[in-house]
Every structure is written in C-alpha cells, then in structure tokens.
Amino acid sequence: MEITVQDRTIYEQLCKDYLNLKLLAQNACTSPERLERCKQLILEDVHSKRKLSRVSSCDDLLQILEQRNLLSLLKPELIERLELALDSEDITNAIKLYRKTISLHYAPIRRFYLEDLRYRDRRTLLEREVEKIKLAENPNISSFHEKYRKQRETIYSLLQKQIGRDWKAFGRNLNITEAELDEINERNRNDLKGRIYEMLLSVEQTFTDDSLEQFISTLTKALEKIRRSDLKRKIESELGM
C-alpha cells in the first residue's frame, strides 16, 4: 500500500487531536468526585488500588494509563470510558471525529505511529549519555525542563480557557504570520481551544528542550502585549519563576 504525503498530514493532525483529547479530559475533570469516578472506571484495567490511590489529578491518571499501554494514539477507548464520569459534550464530539479518522486511515496511521515508536527506541546509548552530560553541565536547564514538563498541560489548558477571542492578537505577538493564523482558523473553524492549542504547539516546536525558558519568555511577553499580565503571573507561579 502506497503511503502519501496526505497520509502523513492526517497522522500529524491525529497526534494533535490525541493531545487535545487528553486536555479535554483534564479540563472536564473539575472536582475530586469526578476524578474518583474516573479511577473507579479504570480500576480493573490498572489492577492496582495502591497506584490509583496516589493519583491526585487527571494528568497523573492518563500518565499511568499510557505507561501501562492501556491508552495511546491508537487506543483511545479509555478516554471514551472516562467520558461517562466526566459528562463532557466536547469529549463526546471529539472522540467521534477521532474514531472516524482512525477508521478511515488506520493502515497509514498505524504505520507512522509504529515508525515513530521505533525511532524513539533507536536512540543510541551515546545519544542518551550526551543528553545526560548536557543536563548535568547545566542543572538549571534540567530543573526548568522538569518543571515545565510537569506543568505543560496545565499551562496549555489555562491559555485555552482564558485567551478567548484575543487568540489572533496573541498569535501575532507570538510571531505567527497572518497566513498561518488563517490556516489554523480554517483547520479549527468551530474549535477556539483547538486554535489556541495549535498556536502554542507550533511555537513551542521552534524551541529545543534546553531553550524552553525562552519559549516561556516568548509566551509571557505576548501575554503582556495583549494586556493579560494576569495570565503571565499565573504561568510564572506554576513554574516557580
């Protein structure tokens, strides 16, 4: 079966949609009661009450599911089950579209997904050692990278909820071109949060792991320019800056 450029584009969009599904789940998990209901729904799958007892957020819960290979880009079923506890129309609609995409393009999506997994597994011992040395030489980078990794989805979720109709002004101040903004708008015509998410992701991907502080600086400066210093302060607080 021939794999086309269009197939790759579909796969890359599905990767974004998968991340968005997880964000929607986190956004809908608005109380300890909902989180507890989610835990009960997947208890038999995880087979560890002790592990689940340590879970204090939906993010933690999703990480456990991914670590145990119960949830992945090709296996979104558990998010669909969690929707029973979260009662979110956004998740319901998103999962329907997500499943439709997988159904229509399963073969190329699976191929690209497995290739990505193999690529990650092919990282040599030397590459890993070089990475360790770089982080050891600059513990501040290591510390900030770890903080950001833990708070990334919280920051994304905050901005998705709060930027609102200022999303284009925010995007311009992130140095996203008008043409790119139009394309983002077209791809997410009825999904404001999706537009904001795609903007954030596209900007973040221009920074390396050891320059994430510059990425956050870019975000906070853009927020100041659209008079949202309140969000700037919240992000800095999340990261202990």
Side-chain angles (χ1 to χ4, degrees):
M1 178 181 176
E2 183 181 356
I3 303 296
T4 67
V5 173
Q6 183 182 8
D7 290 328
R8 181 73 200 184
T9 302
I10 291 168
Y11 169 70
E12 289 174 353
Q13 181 59 48
L14 194 73
C15 291
K16 296 176 185 177
D17 292 342
Y18 175 63
L19 291 174
N20 191 50
L21 273 178
K22 294 196 293 180
L23 281 170
L24 287 173
Q26 290 175 56
N27 293 343
C29 194
T30 54
S31 68
E33 291 76 21
R34 285 194 172 189
L35 179 60
E36 191 58 38
R37 288 202 295 271
C38 288
K39 290 183 190 180
Q40 293 303 316
L41 284 171
I42 52 91
L43 177 58
E44 291 186 7
D45 301 272
V46 175
H47 299 300
S48 175
K49 286 186 177 181
R50 183 181 176 187
K51 194 84 171 176
L52 287 175
S53 69
R54 298 174 181 171
V55 169
S56 59
S57 69
C58 188
D59 183 27
D60 294 339
L61 189 63
L62 295 176
Q63 283 187 32
I64 287 175
L65 296 177
E66 289 182 324
Q67 288 165 3
R68 298 190 172 215
N69 199 30
L70 296 168
L71 175 68
S72 72
L73 182 138
L74 290 178
K75 296 192 293 186
E77 292 83 6
L78 286 187
I79 288 185
E80 193 168 14
R81 194 189 305 171
L82 294 180
E83 196 276 329
L84 296 172
L86 299 174
D87 190 27
S88 166
E89 188 176 343
D90 286 342
I91 296 177
T92 301
N93 294 334
I95 201 76
K96 284 180 182 176
L97 291 173
Y98 190 90
R99 280 193 165 283
K100 183 177 180 181
T101 301
I102 290 181
S103 175
L104 291 173
H105 307 280
Y106 182 78
I109 286 171
R110 182 176 182 275
R111 175 172 169 177
F112 285 126
Y113 177 68
L114 294 177
E115 283 179 356
D116 280 354
L117 288 182
R118 282 195 292 270
Y119 175 77
R120 286 197 290 269
D121 290 341
R122 281 200 301 265
R123 293 177 66 220
T124 65
L125 179 62
L126 177 61
E127 287 175 317
R128 293 174 190 171
E129 288 304 312
V130 168
E131 190 174 88
K132 286 180 184 177
I133 291 169
K134 284 172 67 178
L135 292 175
E137 287 175 347
N138 194 336
N140 291 329
I141 289 176
S142 177
S143 173
F144 187 83
H145 181 275
E146 183 65 18
K147 284 181 184 177
Y148 177 71
R149 187 188 66 78
K150 290 180 178 178
Q151 299 300 330
R152 179 180 184 271
E153 292 192 2
T154 300
I155 291 168
Y156 269 49
S157 178
L158 171 70
L159 295 176
Q160 282 182 294
K161 289 177 180 177
Q162 298 294 327
I163 292 296
R165 60 187 179 185
D166 291 330
W167 73 275
K168 271 200 171 183
F170 183 49
R172 292 185 190 104
N173 284 296
L174 290 172
N175 296 318
I176 300 174
T177 67
E178 287 296 327
E180 289 172 316
L181 289 172
D182 288 342
E183 289 176 5
I184 289 171
N185 186 52
E186 186 64 29
R187 285 193 293 270
N188 303 275
R189 187 172 289 277
N190 298 312
D191 184 3
L192 176 58
K193 288 183 178 179
R195 285 174 237 157
I196 296 167
Y197 174 83
E198 190 170 336
M199 285 196 312
L200 293 171
L201 187 64
S202 68
V203 175
E204 182 181 344
Q205 288 175 341
T206 65
F207 293 86
T208 60
D209 283 351
D210 57 2
S211 63
L212 286 173
E213 282 187 271
Q214 293 177 35
F215 168 58
I216 294 299
S217 176
T218 299
L219 282 188
T220 54
K221 286 176 182 176
L223 289 169
E224 284 185 319
K225 288 177 181 176
I226 63 168
R227 300 183 179 181
R228 293 306 306 266
S229 293
D230 58 320
L231 297 179
K232 171 182 179 289
R233 289 191 293 271
K234 286 181 180 179
I235 290 173
E236 289 173 342
S237 175
E238 290 288 347
L239 296 171
M241 297 173 71

